Structures are given as C-alpha cells and as structure tokens.
Amino acid sequence: MKKDQKQAAIGFIFITMLIDITGWGIIIPVIPKLIQELIHGDISEAAKIGGWLTFAYAITQFVFAPLVGNLSDKFGRRPIILISLFAFSMDYLLLAFAPTILWLFIGRIIAGLTGASITTASAYIADVSTPENRAKNFGMIGAAFGLGFIIGPVLGGLLGQYGSRVPFYAAAVLCMLNFLYGYFILPESLAKSNRREFEWRRANPITAILRLKKHPTLVGLVLCMFLLYVGSHAVHSNWSFYTMYRFNWDEKMVGISLGVVGLLVGIVQGGLIRFTSPRLGNEKSIYIGLALYTIGMLLFAFATESWMMFVFLIPYCLGGIAGPALQATISSKVPANEQGEIQGTLASLMSASAIIGPVMMTNTFYYFTHDEAPFKLPGAPFILGSILMLVSTIIAYYSLKKHFSSNKDSSKV
C-alpha cells in the first residue's frame, strides 16, 4: 500500500470507528433508566445490574477476541470489520425490543461474540503504520472514541427524553450505515504476503495471553495496561450511576457531560498527542499520563458540586496520552504478521479487565450507596481506581527501566 493510500486508509478506519463509537455512545445515558424500568428498582440496584451486563459482554469477548484477531490475520481485516458492524446493528435492535432484563443479557452476549471492530481496527492501524507514526495513528482510535463520545452521548441524552428505547433504534441505524460505508469504501490493509494460516491453539484466549512469554519485555507493560483498563472502569462503568446519585443528573445532563469527555479526549488524542509523542517520547508519556489519571480519579471521588466534575475532567482526560504510548511500545516489538494476534491478545486483556472492572466498581458503588451501607461514600470506586492507576505507574517505571537497561547492555556486547 502506497503512502497516500495508507493515509486514505487511516481516514477510512477513523470514520468507521467514529460511527461505531457514536452508536455505542448513544445508548450510555439511558442504560440506567432502562435497567430501572426492567427491574423496578433504584439507581443503586441498577448500577449493580449494569456491572453484570458489562461482565456478560466482556467475558464472551474475552473468549472470542483472539479468535477474531487470528481470523483477521488469515482472511484480512476488512471482512471481519464488516461482519462485526452488521452484528452490532442487529444487537441494538434486539436491545431496543427487550421485554425483560434477561434479553439485555442475551443482547450483550451476542455483542461480545461478534464485537471485533476495535480489535481488528487496531490491527488495521498497525498494518498501515510506520515506527515513526505508530503512536500518532493509534491515537486516531482514541480520537474516534472522543468524537464519538461528543456526538453519541449528547444525542442519546436528547433522544432519551422521548423514551429509554429510542436511542437503541438510532444506534442500530448508525451501525447499519457504517456497515454499508465499510462495504463500499473500506480497503483491505493486510497484504496477502503478510497473512498466515489460522491455528486453533493461537486462538485460545489463555494460550494467546501465554504467548506473551516469547516477548518477556512486554509482560510488565501488558500488566500495566491491564490495570489501567480495570481502573478506568471507575469512570466508564460508573459515571452515569454516580452522577445521577450524587448530583441528581438526568439523561440529558449525563449525555452533555460525556460529550465534554469526548471533546477533551478528542483534543488530547487527536491533537495534543501529535506534539507530546515526538517531544516527550513514549516513556515519559506513559508516566505523565498515568499520574494524571491517578490525580483525576481522586478529584472525582471528592467532588461536592456538579461543576467540579467538569473541571476535574481536564487532568483526567490529559492522562489519555498514556494509552497510545503503551500500545505503540508494545506493538513496535511484534512482527507484521503477528499484529492481529497481539491486538487480539490485548483485546482479550481489555475484555478480562472488563470482566473484573465493571463488577468491581459498580458493586463498590452499590456497597457504599444502598440503604444499609455502613456509611455513604459514593466516590469509593474512584478512590479504588486511583490506587490501581498508581500501581500501574510503578509497574510501568520498573518495566521500562528494566527494558531499556537490557537494551543498553545488549548494545555493549
């Protein structure tokens, strides 16, 4: 693929991811309300159910993400992305018509089985990137998340005022449009010369994680990323429930706040990272980003007014420079014909963190907010998240220090 074709391909995958994340973002503000309607409970009980819904999605994706990554290494990225987008459209329709809470769980399991767009998009980015622009291009995924979260939650918050199921119809339409866009526009990124035969043993999620043994310098960084993912669920899985409980926000206000999150993430990962990556380098970006995540979480935990949540989003979102730097560092150590596998492995770890994180954070929220709580501390999940971010920072420091010192030693030989 020529240079101009690679630039066009990155643009294509950015639009694909943007539409996909917008569809996902649309439903977030109304999930608490829909759960409350189906279980006839309060926001504290809805939070606990919300955590288990994410668990259902994550555990199925954990099992199938390596399979999807390996299939994309054999058949190419394009067909896997298209199948995923079509399946997500059908899933949103199923959720829109769900008559009981059981159907929400069935829908989330189906989405986990087919949810390959982010996994394969990461491999797609790796295919068309050079070592020099890899971190910047991975930042485009973050920028797509950011812009999708500007449009999606705001639109979802507005549509949610007409019914808790209306945003699901909108998400289904967006995903179907995305499928059609990809079918007619999205080019293939993986050359046939870089493809490999599918192997079942490499598609096993446990085997995929164990294969990190052949990259021993990556184990610490992968653990760092895992803890980052788990800690981030204090925000991802808890924001709507926490703000509705603590500040009495409605769906519209939740949507607006998440739109602000998206704007800040888009600025950081779509713009700021272009300057921080070459100037700071990946190592400093990881340290600074994780430290900012830690500070941001603590500030959320002790916010006493609505406006504080918006102000404290600034240091938290600036922490977004860490993720692409970590991913670029890991990706740079893996051969071209194994990028789909490593991205599938990272997606499995992300899913494993989503098995643990949402249940951990929403149950922590429930424990400190339900009627018989020992004492009320709704910010407890953010305190837990900040501790995990701090531990991740320490692991990153020792892992990178060991990695670079080993490089120096080998260069002397």
Side-chain angles (χ1 to χ4, degrees), residues 139-289:
M140 293 297 288
I141 295 179
F145 265 90
L147 290 175
F149 264 86
I150 295 171
I151 302 166
V154 173
L155 184 58
L158 294 172
L159 291 174
Q161 296 179 91
Y162 300 100
S164 59
R165 297 173 189 266
V166 173
F168 290 91
Y169 296 119
V173 170
L174 272 178
C175 276
M176 184 53 67
L177 290 175
N178 201 5
F179 166 78
L180 294 172
Y181 168 83
Y183 183 82
F184 290 107
I185 302 295
L186 190 68
E188 179 55 65
S189 65
L190 186 64
K192 290 187 177 180
S193 59
N194 284 333
R195 298 184 189 183
R196 61 174 176 80
E197 288 303 308
F198 177 82
E199 299 175 52
W200 277 106
R201 64 184 179 84
R202 300 178 81 165
N204 182 309
I206 305 301
T207 302
I209 293 172
L210 291 176
R211 285 186 69 82
L212 288 169
K213 287 181 179 178
K214 71 177 182 178
H215 304 292
T217 57
L218 299 183
V219 173
L221 292 179
V222 169
L223 177 59
C224 174
M225 183 167 275
F226 176 76
L227 291 176
L228 187 158
Y229 288 150
V230 173
S232 69
H233 278 284
V235 175
H236 297 166
S237 301
N238 200 53
W239 183 269
S240 299
F241 301 107
Y242 174 76
T243 52
M244 285 180 171
Y245 177 90
R246 185 74 178 84
F247 305 111
N248 202 30
W249 287 5
D250 59 11
E251 293 87 352
K252 181 180 178 181
M253 191 63 177
V254 170
I256 290 171
S257 69
L258 290 173
V260 173
V261 172
L263 176 62
L264 291 173
V265 170
I267 291 171
V268 170
Q269 299 204 1
L272 183 63
I273 200 170
R274 295 172 181 268
F275 299 96
T276 59
S277 180
R279 287 166 176 76
L280 294 176
N282 287 333
E283 185 179 3
K284 287 183 180 177
S285 294
I286 291 168
Y287 299 150
I288 294 170

Side-chain angles (χ1 to χ4, degrees), residues 375-397:
F375 58 91
K376 296 298 176 74
L377 185 62
F382 294 117
I383 297 172
L384 179 56
S386 70
I387 292 170
L388 292 173
M389 293 295 183
L390 181 59
V391 172
S392 181
T393 308
I394 295 168
I395 292 172
Y397 174 77

Side-chain angles (χ1 to χ4, degrees), residues 331-345:
S331 177
S332 66
K333 303 300 177 183
V334 177
N337 66 349
E338 294 182 11
Q339 286 294 334
E341 181 181 58
I342 193 65
Q343 297 303 332
T345 299

